[in-house]
Structure formats: C-alpha cells, structure tokens
Amino acid sequence: HHHELSVALNDSLPNETTTNKTAVDDECNYYIGVVLAVGAAVTGAASNVIVAKIEQISSTAIVTYSGVGGVVLALGYGVLVDPEDKIVPNFAMVTAEEWLTLLMLGGMGLVGFFALTRSLQLIPPTTVAVLRAMEIVLAYGVQAVVLGEVPNSLAIAGSSLVITSVVAFAAENIFMTCAAGRFCGMH
C-alpha cells in the first residue's frame, strides 16, 4: 500500500518534466498569440483601407456579406478544426449561458463592424485606426467592471498616453481642416 500511495502522490504532484513542459507550452502559446495578434493587425489595416476604397457599397451590404463569409468560415472551422467538437455536431452540448455569451458577442461584433465600415466611408482609414486605439483604454475599464481586475499604474500611464495621442491627432485634423478653410464657418 505504501508503494501504491507514493506512486499516486508522485503522479499527482508536478514534477520537473511536467513543469518544464508547461513552461514550454506557455511560451509557445505566447508566441502563437503574438503572431496571431500581428496577423489581426495586418489584416485589420488592410480591411480598413479596402472598405474605405469601396465607399460606393453600403455599410449594410458589407456587413451582410462579411457575416455570410464569417458563418461559412466558422462552420468550416467547427467541422474541421474545433478541438472540443462541440458546437457544430451537437448544439445541445452548449449551455444556455454559453449561447447567451455567444449571441452577445455576435451582436456586439455586428454593431462594431457596422460602425467601423460606416466610419471608414466617412473619414480616412488612418483617423479611424487612431480613434480605435481608444479600444485599449476602454478595455481596461471593461476589465475592471466585468472581471474586477483593476489595471496597475503602468497600464493607466499607457492609457493616458493613448488618450493624449488620440486627442492630439483629432485636434490636428480639426486645425488642418480650419487652415484649409473648410471648417470654422469659412467656405
């Protein structure tokens, strides 16, 4: 019994091999996350420019066709890649709370993408990109309210720099427009 107990304890305690494997997995996941975030930034920037270029197509049409494409990609992912194999083959495995979360995310994504496409048709993509930097600051607020995690002083300092940059960029655009005589009551 003593030998079985020690084997059971050894199996339940983290050993050097499992600890090293976890650290390597965490580091690998970190770099995968960085690559995916950079990929999202690149494709997002390209998408911003493309949407601004096709201003003759309505925002509603862009959102609709993007949504249809998103559904096709999501179903393909769910059938071919989903590691939990949960949503596509068995809807009943998804709890009501998970469905509510998914529907809320979908709704927020839809509203956000519509606002993004419309703004890209009204103002330059670089202005939209700078204004979207406010997402960083807003994420800290949502994080504090929803998760109860208050950002540290470094995060608050960084957010202050973002806010200052966005305000300065917006002020520059207003002053440049005034200088061109298209604003401030002049024609």
Side-chain angles (χ1 to χ4, degrees), residues 171-187:
E172 177 189 28
N173 281 345
I174 290 170
F175 292 133
M176 295 301 284
T177 305
C178 278
R182 294 182 301 211
F183 192 63
C184 305
M186 295 182 272
H187 294 300

Side-chain angles (χ1 to χ4, degrees), residues 73-84:
L73 287 173
L75 288 173
Y77 175 84
V79 169
L80 302 173
V81 183
D82 184 16
E84 294 178 13

Side-chain angles (χ1 to χ4, degrees), residues 4-51:
E4 290 172 7
L5 180 60
S6 69
V7 168
L9 285 174
N10 284 338
D11 287 345
S12 67
L13 295 174
N15 60 35
E16 190 174 319
T17 305
T18 59
T19 304
N20 288 341
K21 184 177 180 188
T22 303
V24 169
D25 288 345
D26 288 347
E27 188 173 340
C28 184
N29 286 340
Y30 175 80
Y31 289 115
I32 290 171
V34 168
V35 168
L36 290 172
V38 169
V42 169
T43 56
S47 175
N48 287 355
V49 173
I50 291 168
V51 168

Side-chain angles (χ1 to χ4, degrees), residues 151-176:
N152 61 27
S153 57
L154 185 61
I156 292 171
S159 296
S160 300
L161 289 173
V162 170
I163 291 170
T164 302
S165 298
V166 170
V167 169
F169 188 82
E172 177 189 28
N173 281 345
I174 290 170
F175 292 133
M176 295 301 284

Side-chain angles (χ1 to χ4, degrees), residues 87-164:
I87 291 181
V88 174
N90 191 357
F91 286 111
M93 287 181 63
V94 182
T95 67
E97 185 179 339
E98 289 172 329
W99 277 118
L100 180 62
T101 302
L102 292 171
L103 289 171
M104 283 180 18
L105 283 172
M108 288 186 294
L110 186 67
V111 169
F113 191 63
F114 176 80
L116 173 65
T117 57
R118 190 67 189 126
S119 68
L120 286 165
Q121 293 176 333
L122 299 172
I123 59 178
T126 51
T127 305
V128 172
V130 170
L131 292 172
R132 286 188 68 198
M134 292 297 292
E135 180 180 343
I136 299 166
V137 177
L138 296 172
Y140 284 130
V142 172
Q143 173 184 322
V145 171
V146 174
L147 302 177
E149 298 174 4
V150 179
N152 61 27
S153 57
L154 185 61
I156 292 171
S159 296
S160 300
L161 289 173
V162 170
I163 291 170
T164 302

